[in-house]
Amino acid sequence: MKGLLVFAALLAAAFSRETFVGNQVLRIFVADEASVEKVKELEELPELQLDFWRGPGGQDIPIDVRVPFASLQAVKIFLESNCIRYSILIDDLQSLVDEEQTQMIRQHFMPRSVETFNYASYHTLDEIYDFMDLLVAANPNLVSKIQIGNSYEGRPIYVLKFSTGGTKRPAIWLDTGIHSREWITQASGVWFAKKIVDSYGKDPSLTSILDNLDIFLEIVTNPDGFAFTHTTNRMWRKTRSVNAGSACIGVDPNRNWDAGFGGAGASSNPCSETYRGPYANSEREVKAIVDFVKSHGNIKAFISIHSYTQLLLYPYGYTRTQAADYQELDNIAKAAVAALSSLYGTQYRYGSIITTIYQASGGTIDWTYNQGIKYSFTFELRDTGRYGFLLPANQIIPTAEETWLALMTVMEYTRDHPY
């Protein structure tokens, strides 16, 4: 009966959600700083309802933007009149959304165990939370579920703890899904959880890691936003908190941390996709992690996983000042990217946030690094824009597999280089 109810809910959601018929994703090529500034002018025009998937950064870094059908002509004329070149990455976004929904409905069934769970499909919040319970039930001596807080709308925020014993041992933190529309990250997080339990006692390296450190994994870091992407708006990025004095909802939870908060690379406009929030740690989803990290006091690596663009990044994003451990972090990133590409040949770039993509203030790993967590990294998973946030489900397992190799590189280094 529960399976039928969930299936009915999926069908209902498919017919009640926001549509993107005729929306295109444009890739804009900016050759100089003047072109970057011109594109920023578009960003400041709310009537166009543009959704920057990869926002303006430095010159020579392409900008990806979703343009509603009603704004297409105006945007294209603006770009052409300013001699700014662009191409069409996605011709009709709704067609990709429809394909994704069809796949989810076709593949949907209620698993009774972690062995029958479909790791090659996207899942709802309830399904992922059910998976966590199944995983804990099947591996009670290795996995436990911790509630670290509640979201703005009252949903529990869960973290899986993988441990072989002890309290507040040195630990590694992994999170996925802080930006809710980045579905490949939550799907990869589910796969990572199963990989950890499957590998312990079989893979000597992972076994050694867990014999010496705990692993915390937060699969759905932004539960309200994630639920909203399934019921109403697949492209929702932010939290779902109400902003006083504004009709616009939500805060960018990766601009809400107390690290250069309010500086360049975040918006003060509540309607912006990069709205920083009224003050640092205003979002319950962010505050829950902040409180946990401070209370734990012994986290040695912090890895936050996003999509897309195929990048491995380290601090800083809010300042051009190099991190004190810049060279060590760069060496780790280089090794991790090499491990990742060894499986399927997927190419990643790596470097500090501000030099590799753009300036961004109030970011997660800048805060964790400033808290003394030396091994702080952010991944941007597949792809480079062909599908963007709508990566086909048949790429979930390959993405997770290759990313796991990079994660193992970072975790092994953390184990072997204590501080």
Side-chain angles (χ1 to χ4, degrees), residues 96-244:
L96 293 184
V97 173
D98 290 343
E99 288 175 21
E100 185 177 69
Q101 284 300 304
T102 299
Q103 188 275 339
M104 284 186 68
I105 292 171
R106 186 188 301 124
Q107 297 293 325
H108 182 78
F109 66 95
M110 292 301 294
R112 296 183 178 180
S113 76
V114 292
E115 302 306 325
T116 59
F117 191 88
N118 187 353
Y119 298 92
S121 181
Y122 291 114
H123 293 277
T124 65
L125 178 68
D126 287 343
E127 290 168 355
I128 292 176
Y129 279 4
D130 286 346
F131 161 80
M132 291 182 184
D133 291 335
L134 291 171
L135 191 75
V136 171
N139 304 274
N141 295 324
L142 186 63
V143 192
S144 58
K145 185 179 76 172
I146 303 167
Q147 183 174 346
I148 64 169
N150 290 287
S151 68
Y152 179 83
E153 294 179 340
R155 293 179 174 87
I157 302 172
Y158 292 129
V159 174
L160 292 176
K161 178 183 180 181
F162 301 84
S163 179
T164 55
T167 58
K168 294 190 177 179
R169 296 197 306 170
I172 295 165
W173 172 281
L174 310 172
D175 68 58
T176 56
I178 194 169
H179 287 148
S180 48
R181 64 186 176 188
E182 298 168 5
W183 281 12
I184 185 58
T185 70
Q186 297 97 335
S188 294
V190 168
W191 189 93
F192 298 152
K194 181 63 160 56
K195 181 67 173 178
I196 293 170
V197 299
D198 285 348
S199 298
Y200 183 72
K202 298 175 183 176
D203 173 11
S205 185
L206 189 279
T207 301
S208 174
I209 289 168
L210 274 180
D211 284 344
N212 290 279
L213 302 107
D214 294 338
I215 298 175
F216 294 99
L217 171 58
E218 185 178 13
I219 298 176
V220 187
T221 306
N222 178 4
D224 294 348
F226 186 58
F228 196 71
T229 63
H230 282 274
T231 61
T232 309
N233 182 347
R234 175 62 182 84
M235 290 297 108
W236 191 261
R237 164 187 169 98
K238 301 190 287 184
T239 64
R240 292 292 301 163
S241 56
V242 172
N243 293 311

Side-chain angles (χ1 to χ4, degrees), residues 251-268 274-283 286 317-319 359-364 366-367 370:
V251 166
D252 182 344
N254 198 37
R255 301 294 187 277
N256 190 239
W257 301 72
D258 194 9
F261 177 81
S267 177
S268 59
T274 58
Y275 175 51
R276 67 196 182 206
Y279 53 88
N281 305 333
S282 64
E283 301 311 282
V286 172
Y318 73 91
T319 176
Q359 186 170 13
S361 59
T364 307
D366 285 356
W367 180 82
N370 285 346

Side-chain angles (χ1 to χ4, degrees), residues 380-396:
E380 296 279 357
L381 304 185
R382 293 187 187 186
D383 57 8
T384 56
R386 168 62 184 87
Y387 295 101
F389 302 121
L390 291 157
L391 196 70
N394 62 13
Q395 294 195 43
I396 292 173

